[in-house]
Amino acid sequence: MHAAHRNAGNAVDAVDALDAVDVAVVGGGPAGLSAAIYLARYNRRVLVFDTGHGRSTHHQVNHNYLGFPGGIATVDLRGLAAEQLARYDNARIAHHLVTAVGGDAERGFALRSQGHAWRARAVLLATGVLDHFPHFPGWRSYVGRSMFWCITCDGYENRGRSILVVGHTDAAAGEAMQLHALTDRVRLLTNSHRDDISETFRRRLAKAGVEVVHDRIKEVEGADGQVRAVVTRGGLRLGLDALFSIQGATPETALARALGVRLNPAGYIVVDSEQKTSVPGVYAAGDVTSLHSHQVAAAVHEGAQAASAAHYFLHPPELKAD
């Protein structure tokens, strides 16, 4: 048994009744907030844990989400969702980092942060992923403005521009090829001591005229969120309009692992079509569940589905058809 699981489980009976809810939602991004709104409207007591971090806290403008003709900044979407949730007295947002979770569907689940404890009948994990952006002074201010990770989200706005793809794998090479369909000014920088691009992709890049630079970033020139150039350790200065970081991401699954939830080989939470995990009473939604379709629209859908499944799970037996 994991230590986090064991320690948190001991707190189940010690939590004040005011801190006992039907569902604890860990994560305040689109998936978590969507789930919370559904649960609130199901008249469930719901508590959302939001640390204010994650993909939706960057400067990204989402042009793909239905209903916003001019696009909407993801931070504004979060704000609107939080305002929407605030209309329900049975829903709360706690700005705490959950450090431990334990228990089960029969005894109830316990969640802890430093100095606080809560009890829930079900848990919904919407913890997202940690993107591996190039790190340089002030790098966060560039994310969503001129440094991106998603061609689906930001490729269209960068048509015809000078783009530097950063990554050393076939995934980065594939992204460079896809971006080449939007602009003929694409270069790839490995930014690693390794160059794992296969010969197949190397031939494709060469045929498309996409230069591959096997070097690492020394410094970045830019201001006000706009990258102007990357200077490599080898002394090259690569001018650009946009940087697409394809260096991977790590799913945030520490709590899932503490609960014994099954993960796939890449480390993402395995869920079924209702967002159920392998552990009864535990659900997951958003980017933490999948290698692909990391989109706001998908996260909102998964949050809604997970909430509906959790709501049904909490029904007494006489209200269930199965």
Side-chain angles (χ1 to χ4, degrees), residues 194-245:
R194 297 178 56 173
D195 181 352
D196 294 337
I197 299 172
S198 66
E199 286 303 317
T200 298
F201 265 105
R202 201 172 297 280
R203 287 193 297 269
R204 292 172 183 169
L205 292 168
K207 185 176 180 180
V210 176
E211 179 186 5
V212 176
V213 178
H214 185 33
D215 205 341
R216 301 178 73 176
I217 295 173
K218 178 182 179 182
E219 60 185 31
V220 171
E221 299 175 7
D224 300 322
Q226 178 58 56
V227 176
R228 294 193 301 268
V230 164
V231 178
T232 72
R233 294 185 180 184
L236 294 176
R237 183 181 184 277
L238 307 174
L240 64 144
D241 298 314
L243 186 155
F244 276 75
S245 175

Side-chain angles (χ1 to χ4, degrees), residues 22-23 39-40 42-46 90-91 121 311 314-315:
D22 291 315
V23 183
L39 286 162
Y42 285 132
N43 204 33
R44 297 294 186 183
R45 294 167 300 159
V46 58
N90 51 323
R121 297 171 63 197
H311 171 61
L314 293 174
H315 277 324

Side-chain angles (χ1 to χ4, degrees), residues 36-294:
I37 289 169
Y38 268 76
L39 286 162
R41 290 187 55 78
Y42 285 132
N43 204 33
R44 297 294 186 183
R45 294 167 300 159
V46 58
L47 177 61
V48 180
F49 293 95
D50 179 17
T51 61
H53 297 291
R55 280 176 169 169
S56 60
T57 64
H58 293 303
H59 299 283
Q60 207 86 16
V61 176
N62 192 305
H63 295 277
N64 299 335
Y65 197 66
L66 189 68
F68 296 94
I72 181 169
T74 52
V75 291
D76 292 340
L77 187 64
R78 281 176 67 116
L80 287 170
E83 180 182 339
Q84 187 174 351
L85 184 64
R87 299 180 180 221
Y88 300 92
D89 293 336
N90 51 323
R92 290 181 292 149
I93 295 178
H95 299 288
H96 290 275
L97 173 66
V98 177
T99 56
V101 61
D104 54 47
E106 291 186 7
R107 295 181 296 146
F109 297 92
L111 302 94
R112 280 188 176 179
S113 69
Q114 187 170 5
H116 297 271
W118 298 266
R119 187 172 71 241
R121 297 171 63 197
V123 174
L124 198 160
L125 301 173
T127 44
V129 302
L130 177 66
D131 287 298
H132 303 160
F133 286 109
H135 286 187
F136 51 89
W139 67 271
R140 287 182 176 85
S141 67
Y142 294 89
V143 177
R145 290 171 168 164
S146 62
M147 186 162 70
F148 310 104
W149 62 270
C150 172
I151 186 173
T152 302
C153 310
D154 301 294
Y156 185 85
E157 280 67 40
N158 285 286
R159 291 169 299 153
R161 305 183 80 200
S162 178
I163 294 176
L164 181 68
V165 175
V166 176
H168 68 280
T169 64
D170 279 356
E175 190 91 352
M177 290 299 299
Q178 293 173 50
L179 285 163
H180 187 262
L182 301 173
T183 177
D184 59 1
R185 296 189 292 159
V186 180
R187 285 181 289 196
L188 187 150
L189 174 67
T190 60
N191 195 37
S192 173
H193 66 280
R194 297 178 56 173
D195 181 352
D196 294 337
I197 299 172
S198 66
E199 286 303 317
T200 298
F201 265 105
R202 201 172 297 280
R203 287 193 297 269
R204 292 172 183 169
L205 292 168
K207 185 176 180 180
V210 176
E211 179 186 5
V212 176
V213 178
H214 185 33
D215 205 341
R216 301 178 73 176
I217 295 173
K218 178 182 179 182
E219 60 185 31
V220 171
E221 299 175 7
D224 300 322
Q226 178 58 56
V227 176
R228 294 193 301 268
V230 164
V231 178
T232 72
R233 294 185 180 184
L236 294 176
R237 183 181 184 277
L238 307 174
L240 64 144
D241 298 314
L243 186 155
F244 276 75
S245 175
I246 315 299
Q247 298 185 146
T250 299
E252 300 276 24
T253 55
L255 299 179
R257 286 184 275 110
L259 286 165
V261 167
R262 187 160 70 90
L263 308 179
N264 71 14
Y268 288 79
I269 297 175
V270 175
V271 293
D272 65 9
S273 60
E274 294 184 289
Q275 307 303 130
K276 298 176 183 175
T277 72
S278 60
V279 175
V282 180
Y283 303 82
D287 292 350
V288 75
T289 68
S290 174
L291 281 167
H292 305 292
S293 299
H294 286 189

